[in-house]
Amino acid sequence: MTEFDFDLFVIGGGSGGVRAARLAAGLGKKVAIAEEFRFGGTCVIRGCVPKKLFVYASQFAEHFEDSHGFGWSVGETSFDWPTLIANKDREIDRLEGLYKRGLENAGAEIIASRAELTGPHSVLIKATGVTVTAKHILIAVGGRPNPHASLPGHELCISSNEAFHLDALPKAIVIAGGGYIAVEFANIFHGLGVETTLIYRGKEIMSRFDMDMRRGLHAAMEEKGIRILCHEVFSKIERGPDGRLLAHTSNGKALVADQVMLALGRDPNTEGLGLDKAGVETGHKGEILIDDYSRTNVESIYAVGDVTDRVQLTPVAIHEAMCLIDTLYHDRPTSPDHDLIATAVFSQPEIGTIGLSEDEASKRFDELEIYRAEFRPMKATLSGRNEKSIMKIVVNAEDRKVVGVHILGHEAGELAQILGIVLKAGCTKDDFDRTMAVHPTASEELVTMYQPSYRVKGGERV
Ligand code: NDP
C-alpha cells in the first residue's frame, strides 16, 4: 500500500465508473466508488433500460391491431400506466442490486454520497465531510439533460428523467428535439395512446444519420399519426388557465399539451465537482478534456464516459473504462477505439446503423456504389399495415470495402450488432455477395443486392 487511502477513487456509479471500479478491485487494488444518486447511472436508472421497457409496452397496440389479419380476435384492451411504472421500477431495483453486488463481490468500497475533488489526489465525501486520498481518481459522472435555460417557461417542461416517473400518462405531449431521445419518446408516447407532436429546429430529424433513414423514419412516424414540425422551435412555454400547457412556437403556433418534454442533447455533469481545485481543464460545454488514454491534464486524474463528451453511448463508456484498466494496471497503455461504432435508435421502426452515411462517405471517397432496397416487410402483407423497410449499403468503389450499412425496420438494432463485426473485420461487397441468404428474412436483402442502385462520383449521384 502507498501513502494514499485508495489506489483508485471513482466518482460516479454509472456504466463507466462501475466497470472500472469492479475490474480494479478484482485485481486486488484498493478501490472506492462514490455515487450520489443510484448505482447503474443514466443507462440503467433513467435511460437505455427503462426506455427499452417502455418501447416494448408501447408496441402492444400495433400488435393487437396486426393480429386481426392473422385470424386473431382480441377482446377489449386497456393500458394501465401505474402498472408499467411499478413493474419497470422493480426491474430497475433488481439491476441496481446486481451492480452493487458486483462491486461488493470484487471488494470495492461503496460510498453512497456525492464526492467532489479537492486536489489532484484528494476527494471530499459530502455525506460525511471526510476527505480521502487516492493515487488515481477516475471521474465518470456522466451527463444531464440540457435544460434550455434561455427558453421562457423551461421550468414547466420535463426531460427524459421525469418521463420515467410521471404520475399520469398525459393526454397530449409536445417533444422538442430531433435526436435519439426525442424520436424514441415520441414513438413511446404515441404507442401508449398519447397525442404526440415533435418539434425540431432543422430541415429533417436525426441529423447525424443517413438521409434515407431520416426521411424514412419521418414518413413512418407521420403515417402512424405523430405530428412532426420541422424548422420550428419553442418561443415560450406557459400554463393556461385550465392548467394545461401552451407551447408557443417560432412560427406562431400555440400547441396545447399536458406535458412538454425537452430532448435537446445532454451536458457534461461537471458543475460543482471541484475541477478547479484539482486544476482539471474543461472544454466549452464543461466536458473534461482528456488525452488519447482518458487522462486529464492532471497526471493522477482520468475521466471516461459522457462527462468527456466523446461518444455518448453506454458501451463506449464501458470500453473506455476497460482500456483505462489496461493502461493503469496491466502495463498496456490502451487508447479507446471510437472507430465504426454500431448504434441503434429504438424508434418505431428502429434504425440500426454502422459506419458512414452516403453524404459522409461521398466527402471521403471519390466514387461510391450505393445498394438500396425499400420493401414491405412480410408481416405487413397479412397485417395490412402500411410500412416500409429500407436497407442501404455504402461501398467505396475503389476497393469495394463496405463503409456503411443503414437499416430502417424491425430488429434493425439486432442487425446493427452483427454488422458491427462485419465492418470491423473490413469486409468488402464481394464478401456480402458470396454469403448465402437466410430465407425468408428481411436481412437477406443485405446479401442479394448484386447491382448498385446508383453510383456517387465527386459528391454527385450518377
Ligand atoms: P441528440 O444529440 O441525439 O439530439 C439532440 C437534438 O436536440 C438534436 O436534434 C439537436 O438539433 C436538438 N437541439 C440541440 N440544441 C437545441 C436547441 N437549443 N434548440 C432546438 N433544438 C436543439 O441528443 P439526445 O438528447 O436525443 O440524446 C443524448 C445522447 O444520448 C445522444 O447523443 C445519444 O448518444 C445518447 N442516447 C442514445 C440512445 C441509443 O443508443 N438508442 C438513446 C438515447 C440517447 P440538431 O440535430 O440540429 O443539432
Side-chain angles (χ1 to χ4, degrees), residues 184-364:
E184 290 181 343
F185 271 94
N187 281 281
I188 289 169
F189 281 116
H190 170 76
L192 295 176
V194 179
E195 188 191 314
T196 304
T197 304
L198 191 73
I199 172 166
Y200 171 55
R201 67 178 172 185
K203 186 170 76 167
E204 186 56 279
I205 57 171
M206 302 307 295
S207 60
R208 282 172 285 166
F209 287 72
D210 185 273
M211 196 45 100
D212 271 304
M213 301 293 105
R214 299 170 66 184
R215 289 200 193 108
L217 179 61
H218 185 139
M221 287 171 64
E222 282 192 329
E223 170 76 27
K224 286 176 195 289
I226 298 169
R227 184 178 179 203
I228 302 180
L229 307 173
C230 288
H231 276 142
E232 205 156 340
V233 291
F234 290 146
S235 53
K236 182 170 73 172
I237 312 295
E238 61 183 355
R239 197 172 288 286
D242 59 355
R244 298 186 85 191
L245 294 170
L246 268 181
H248 298 272
T249 77
S250 50
N251 291 354
K253 296 189 187 77
L255 308 168
V256 181
D258 307 287
Q259 295 290 353
V260 174
M261 176 170 162
L262 303 178
L264 307 174
R266 295 176 57 85
D267 300 333
N269 222 352
T270 44
E271 231 175 72
L273 201 60
L275 296 174
D276 47 338
K277 292 181 187 134
V280 175
E281 285 172 2
T282 54
H284 74 286
K285 276 177 75 182
E287 77 277 16
I288 294 181
L289 301 175
I290 31 72
D291 67 10
D292 289 346
Y293 299 90
S294 303
R295 193 201 295 246
T296 69
N297 61 307
V298 179
E299 216 179 318
S300 53
I301 302 181
Y302 292 78
V304 296
D306 287 4
V307 75
T308 63
D309 199 27
R310 284 177 275 190
V311 183
Q312 296 180 354
L313 294 171
T314 299
V316 174
I318 292 172
H319 170 71
E320 290 167 359
M322 288 164 67
C323 291
L324 178 63
I325 295 298
D326 277 348
T327 301
L328 283 180
Y329 302 125
H330 291 297
D331 199 19
R332 215 167 36 222
T334 305
S335 172
D337 176 4
H338 293 111
D339 189 32
L340 286 174
I341 297 170
T343 169
V345 185
F346 294 99
S347 46
Q348 299 173 39
E350 289 179 8
I351 293 177
T353 183
I354 166 96
L356 302 174
S357 67
E358 180 183 324
D359 284 351
E360 287 166 336
S362 71
K363 287 182 197 130
R364 216 176 281 188

